[in-house]
């Protein structure tokens, strides 16, 4: 039957369109439009990924990132800021962050820097501050058109953007920068922006109120500081404050009430980072899916059974095996989800 339908579609289109086609073929344009497009909605569960998963790939452009997503078989994503902002023309950061981060980390730990290291860090910090001002100026002028164009490019390929994570929501960000991040997210088609929970009640209140103003939800991500009540204050502050839950980190924090948390907060969870981590007793490792302690199959089945709306976001953080690459590993995660939801 499938072969016959393919033949009829090709024949009908070849002889002048759909006028002579059988009645069931009147929907052929939508059938054809969906050909070769990914569909990672599995038994009611939207499987997505955060594009951070592809961070070690050589090309971080919007076009290359889209191809990684398509090759992974995904139809929805949480988009990091860099691919979108570079597509929109953001000035290139001249600071070598691979030089800066180790020095900053050493300083934060209270370790003594050499004279040369202090001079290097001071120089990099000055460059970073100057670039921050340049980036802020660019953000104030860029508008939404480039982001709308990128949204169309992704949508035409069959990929929707449900969350956006630019570096625009920190405690030192101005209201104008936060507004930029939210309006850019809306132009990309996102329902929420994401950021690390700032552990600052005044800032979550501020973001929630700006979210209300710009009609954009704010998803707070957590690491091993996550607890059952971790998000409560932010949720009480604004209806726009929501969870960007990380199931793997929740397990690594030693919590045993992940399922009850999801059942309680499902209406306020807009996306859930999914990874396989170990409990503290087992070493907290970040492992290939199916070998850690995160109950990923149970979580996916819970979403499917209860018809929860939030996507399960693949976040690739385990060590990529030799001979593989992030795209191949994300593909394995998608296959894991397919089997779990079969």
């Amino acid at each position: 039957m499938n072969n016959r339908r393919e033949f009829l579609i090709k024949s009908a289109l070849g002889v002048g369109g759909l006028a002579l086609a059988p009645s069931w073929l009147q929907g052929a344009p939508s059938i054809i439009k969906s050909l070769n497009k990914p569909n990672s909605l599995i038994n009611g569960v939207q499987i997505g990924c955060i594009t951070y998963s592809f961070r070690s790939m050589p090309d971080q452009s919007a076009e290359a990132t889209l191809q990684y997503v398509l090759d992974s078989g995904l139809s929805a994503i949480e988009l990091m800021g860099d691919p979108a902002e570079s597509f929109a023309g953001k000035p290139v950061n001249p600071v070598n962050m691979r030089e800066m981060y180790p020095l900053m980390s050493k300083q934060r730990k209270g370790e003594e820097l050499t004279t040369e290291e202090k001079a290097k860090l001071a120089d990099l910090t000055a460059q970073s501050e100057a670039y921050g001002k340049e980036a802020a100026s660019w953000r104030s002028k860029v508008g939404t058109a480039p982001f709308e164009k990128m949204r169309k490019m992704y949508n035409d390929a069959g990929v929707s953007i449900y969350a956006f994570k630019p570096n625009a929501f920190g405690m030192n960000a101005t209201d104008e920068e936060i507004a930029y991040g939210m309006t850019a997210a809306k132009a990309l088609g996102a329902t929420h922006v994401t950021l690390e929970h700032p552990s600052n009640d005044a800032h979550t209140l501020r973001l929630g109120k700006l979210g209300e103003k710009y009609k954009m939800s704010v998803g707070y991500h957590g690491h091993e500081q996550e607890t059952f009540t971790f998000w409560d204050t932010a949720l009480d502050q604004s209806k726009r404050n929501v969870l960007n839950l990380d199931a793997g980190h929740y397990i690594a924090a030693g919590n045993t009430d992940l399922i009850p948390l999801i059942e309680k907060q499902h209406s306020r969870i807009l996306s859930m980072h999914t990874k396989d981590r170990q409990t503290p007793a087992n070493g907290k490792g970040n492992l290939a899916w199916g070998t850690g302690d995160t109950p990923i199959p149970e979580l996916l089945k819970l979403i499917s059974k209860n018809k929860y709306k939030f996507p399960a976001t693949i976040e690739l953080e385990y060590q990529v095996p030799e001979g593989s690459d992030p795209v191949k590993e994300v593909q394995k995660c998608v296959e894991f989800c397919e089997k779990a939801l079969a």
Side-chain angles (χ1 to χ4, degrees):
M1 182 62 179
N2 288 337
N3 290 338
R4 181 172 175 271
R5 286 194 173 216
E6 287 182 21
F7 172 77
L8 287 171
I9 290 172
K10 291 175 182 177
S11 299
L13 293 176
V15 295
L18 299 175
L20 303 178
S23 60
W24 61 264
L25 192 55
Q26 299 307 311
S30 62
I31 294 172
I32 294 166
K33 189 176 181 181
S34 67
L35 289 176
N36 299 318
K37 291 185 178 181
N39 182 6
S40 56
L41 181 65
I42 307 170
N43 283 347
V45 182
Q46 179 63 70
I47 305 299
C49 83
I50 181 170
T51 58
Y52 171 77
S53 299
F54 307 116
R55 61 195 175 280
S56 64
M57 296 297 283
D59 189 344
Q60 294 294 306
S61 67
E63 294 83 358
T65 298
L66 175 58
Q67 193 60 55
Y68 304 148
V69 173
L70 295 173
D71 290 345
S72 298
L74 292 162
S75 55
I77 58 169
E78 176 183 349
L79 180 67
M80 294 296 288
D82 286 348
E85 292 188 312
S86 63
F87 181 84
K90 183 181 178 181
V92 177
N93 187 351
V95 181
N96 186 338
M97 303 308 292
R98 292 184 179 180
E99 287 184 339
M100 189 171 183
Y101 282 143
L103 296 174
M104 292 173 62
S105 178
K106 192 173 179 180
Q107 186 180 63
R108 278 197 300 268
K109 292 176 183 177
E111 298 177 13
E112 185 67 29
L113 298 178
T114 66
T115 302
E116 292 77 10
E117 287 175 332
K118 289 178 181 178
K120 185 66 174 177
L121 182 57
D123 181 54
L124 291 170
T125 300
Q127 290 183 46
S128 183
E129 290 174 353
Y131 175 69
K133 293 177 182 178
E134 183 182 10
S137 176
W138 172 82
R139 285 171 166 173
S140 70
K141 301 170 185 174
V142 63
T144 59
F147 300 104
E148 291 166 356
K149 182 179 178 181
M150 183 173 169
R151 173 185 183 175
K152 184 178 187 305
M153 178 175 72
Y154 274 54
N155 289 177
D156 287 350
V159 176
S160 63
I161 299 166
Y162 55 78
F164 184 44
K165 191 173 187 175
N167 184 21
F169 307 116
M171 287 191 288
N172 293 326
T174 64
D175 285 1
E176 290 72 21
E177 286 180 285
I178 294 168
Y180 150 81
M182 292 181 174
T183 54
K186 186 174 291 186
L188 288 165
T191 63
H192 58 297
V193 297
T194 58
L195 70 150
E196 307 304 313
H197 194 297
S199 298
N200 182 291
D201 294 343
H203 193 52
T204 55
L205 175 62
R206 177 189 177 207
L207 290 173
K209 294 306 177 184
L210 286 168
E212 291 171 16
K213 179 178 179 179
Y214 294 102
K215 297 180 172 58
M216 179 56 58
S217 294
V218 184
Y220 297 98
H221 183 67
H223 289 259
E224 291 177 30
Q225 80 273 43
E226 291 179 334
T227 64
F228 196 86
T229 59
F230 176 65
W231 293 269
D232 284 2
T233 298
L235 296 182
D236 289 341
Q237 289 172 334
S238 171
K239 64 181 180 180
R240 285 293 181 177
N241 282 339
V242 297
L243 282 73
N244 173 228
L245 172 65
D246 192 301
H249 292 325
Y250 199 83
I251 293 300
N255 299 299
T256 59
D257 50 5
L258 178 58
I259 297 295
L261 172 69
I262 293 172
E263 290 174 332
K264 178 185 178 182
Q265 301 289 12
H266 65 89
S267 65
R268 303 293 295 274
I269 299 172
L270 289 197
S271 55
M272 179 184 74
H273 283 198
T274 310
K275 59 173 71 77
D276 206 349
R277 290 199 65 183
Q278 295 172 308
T279 63
N282 291 332
K284 297 187 178 183
N286 215 318
L287 305 180
W289 286 28
T291 62
D293 296 318
T294 308
I296 297 176
E298 290 84 352
L299 296 179
L300 297 176
K301 290 172 183 175
L302 180 72
I303 298 170
S304 179
K305 176 185 175 181
N306 294 333
K307 296 180 170 56
Y308 295 153
K309 302 300 183 183
F310 60 87
T313 305
I314 295 166
E315 183 174 28
L316 185 70
E317 288 200 312
Y318 65 81
Q319 184 69 41
V320 175
E322 187 175 348
S324 186
D325 62 44
V327 173
K328 292 176 183 176
E329 296 307 308
V330 171
Q331 287 173 349
K332 292 177 184 178
C333 296
V334 175
E335 291 169 3
F336 184 97
C337 294
E338 290 173 342
K339 291 177 182 177
L341 289 164

